[in-house]
Amino acid sequence: SFATHMPDAASCKDKEKPESYSCFYKDDHVEYFSKTHKQWLPGIIMQRTLRSSNCRELYDVRIGANGRQVREAVELKLLRRPLAPGEAVEVCADPDVGAWQAAIVSEDQSSVPAVTGYRIRLAHAQDSDAPTSVAAVRLRRRFVAGEYVSVYRGWRRGWKNAIVQDEEQDQHGSLEHRSARLGGGSLTVKWADNLDGRIALIPAHCVARSRKLHAPYRRLVFV
């Protein structure tokens, strides 16, 4: 069977309980997608809020290289963790048609790659080829079939381990269209503890890699 998964948004009655989960925590470094400028900007999480009308999970974010601007009530789909050195990504080679190529984030990065651009190596590049600098808006995380990931299921249920079933991440549509959705579309996954074969369609912004691989995720909660 197949199900479409979205984070919790039904009830706020447990929002003050200490065991409630969060996708991001205070002082976490993130990247914020500016709809006005059509680009990713560096940011730091200030706090999480739950909108009382529908209990939607929102974040206040201090953005920019100097952190002087604040964006309140930012949706999860407009936030992502900074890309980590050595992480598998895809780069948009042709913004007009949305053609994506596999690449790896290089080890040597500036302090604010969201502003200066990420240095990456294409998957087919030779070892002698110099890294290429690419704007953050042209990059998205790459997940492959069989990869173990963690899925954020909302502030009431937290994180759950899963296995990627389909590595097609919405290969169609313009760069601008997909960048506003984290440039990732959706992934099909199977829950790691599920023996009946059920799969779920997950928005890419709810998917993270194992904290064993990337330091930025060390505060994820696994259930």
Side-chain angles (χ1 to χ4, degrees):
S1 59
F2 181 86
T4 300
H5 167 86
M6 293 295 291
D8 297 322
S11 172
C12 290
K13 65 181 181 179
D14 296 326
K15 68 180 180 180
E16 301 302 333
K17 289 187 176 181
E19 64 267 26
S20 67
Y21 297 90
S22 184
C23 190
F24 299 105
Y25 293 88
K26 185 178 184 297
D27 296 329
D28 275 358
H29 287 263
V30 296
E31 290 178 357
Y32 159 77
F33 185 78
S34 169
K35 294 181 179 179
T36 302
H37 300 289
K38 303 287 193 297
Q39 65 182 25
W40 290 101
L41 301 172
I44 297 177
I45 298 294
M46 298 174 62
Q47 66 177 358
R48 182 193 70 174
T49 60
L50 297 173
R51 181 166 290 175
S52 58
S53 59
N54 57 7
C55 212
R56 189 165 45 150
E57 187 171 341
L58 304 170
Y59 291 85
D60 294 345
V61 185
R62 194 179 302 278
I63 66 167
N66 53 21
R68 294 178 181 175
Q69 299 184 56
V70 173
R71 294 292 182 271
E72 297 180 341
V74 176
E75 297 178 86
L76 273 176
K77 66 181 181 180
L78 297 179
L79 297 172
R80 73 178 183 184
R81 292 175 173 82
L83 303 175
E87 188 168 9
V89 295
E90 288 183 326
V91 56
C92 186
D94 188 341
D96 293 329
V97 299
W100 296 82
Q101 295 180 330
I104 299 292
V105 178
S106 299
E107 295 293 330
D108 184 24
Q109 300 291 333
S110 74
S111 58
V112 282
V115 175
T116 61
Y118 280 92
R119 293 166 61 82
I120 59 103
R121 286 182 181 274
L122 294 176
H124 57 71
Q126 302 295 322
D127 292 340
S128 58
D129 293 343
T132 301
S133 182
V134 176
V137 73
R138 293 177 55 198
L139 293 171
R140 67 181 186 183
R141 287 183 164 83
R142 175 165 58 97
F143 299 96
V144 298
E147 181 176 356
Y148 280 80
V149 295
S150 292
V151 174
Y152 186 64
R153 301 175 300 155
W155 60 271
R156 287 184 300 172
R157 295 183 293 174
W159 297 85
K160 186 171 183 177
N161 291 334
I163 305 169
V164 176
Q165 300 297 295
D166 185 357
E167 55 190 270
E168 291 294 323
Q169 290 178 238
D170 188 11
Q171 297 290 334
H172 305 288
S174 69
L175 172 63
E176 177 180 332
H177 174 64
R178 281 195 315 280
S179 293
R181 296 184 298 131
L182 273 195
S186 301
L187 295 172
T188 9
V189 304
K190 179 173 69 176
W191 303 119
D193 61 356
N194 193 346
L195 302 180
D196 61 9
R198 287 187 300 168
I199 61 176
L201 183 65
I202 307 295
H205 64 267
C206 294
V207 180
R209 302 189 197 278
S210 168
R211 59 180 174 178
K212 296 180 180 179
L213 298 179
H214 299 292
Y217 307 139
R218 62 168 61 100
R219 287 206 280 178
L220 291 183
V221 178
F222 292 89
V223 294

